[in-house]
Amino acid sequence: NVTSLVLVPSMAERFPEVPIVAAGGFANGRGLSAALALGADAVAMGSRMAVTQESPLAQSTKEAILQASEHETLYGKNFDGIPARVLQTPAAEAAMKSRPWLPVVVYRSFQAARQLNIPLWKVLPGLVTQWEKMFVIAQFGAATEAIMAATVDGDVKGSGVQFIGQCQG
């Protein structure tokens, strides 16, 4: 929960021998200059790189990202269990409204285990003893379909969900 403005100088001071790569909110030369002034050695520009010609992202998804403003994102952990920002799409809005129900999570755990060739006997004890970890794994496994719909198929108007930063547009 610490922003780049506070985190970068703190990390640069504590670990002067370690290269610091700032990420989150950097989209142009001004952002790079600011990060360097804060003590970073470089920046990661994930959202900018996602829309380049070389990016394998579906063209229609690239166009949706380029047309969206910084206000057209959603932040939360209900989509895949890990806090993240995604492009505001109908599927993302639905996913962010609430966490899935217990039966859905159990089903998704089994489904993800099958896809990864993990024996179900390894999943069952985890559901009982490590519920929170299994819940995150189940959500992530279930999210794969929506991620593929956006990244590969270019579906951001239906079932697709695309991870993106606020530097879109």
Side-chain angles (χ1 to χ4, degrees), residues 66-151:
L66 290 169
Q67 292 171 6
S69 78
E70 66 275 8
H71 300 289
E72 295 175 88
T73 65
L74 302 170
Y75 182 80
K77 65 179 187 174
N78 285 345
F79 172 63
D80 70 350
I82 302 166
R85 186 171 302 284
V86 296
L87 180 65
Q88 188 174 5
T89 66
E93 288 175 341
M96 292 293 187
K97 284 183 181 173
S98 65
R99 293 174 78 171
W101 297 352
L102 174 64
V104 173
V105 172
V106 171
Y107 174 75
R108 287 177 177 174
S109 295
F110 292 153
Q111 202 174 31
R114 255 189 243 116
Q115 288 174 342
L116 298 171
N117 293 322
I118 298 171
L120 294 182
W121 64 267
K122 288 187 175 183
V123 176
L124 286 172
L127 284 171
V128 175
T129 62
Q130 298 179 10
W131 172 248
E132 284 298 317
K133 289 180 184 176
M134 291 304 292
F135 190 87
V136 170
I137 291 169
Q139 281 184 287
F140 190 77
T144 304
E145 201 172 295
I147 295 168
M148 296 294 287
T151 60

Side-chain angles (χ1 to χ4, degrees), residues 22-37:
F26 301 103
N28 54 33
R30 290 188 310 261
L32 170 62
S33 180
L36 295 175

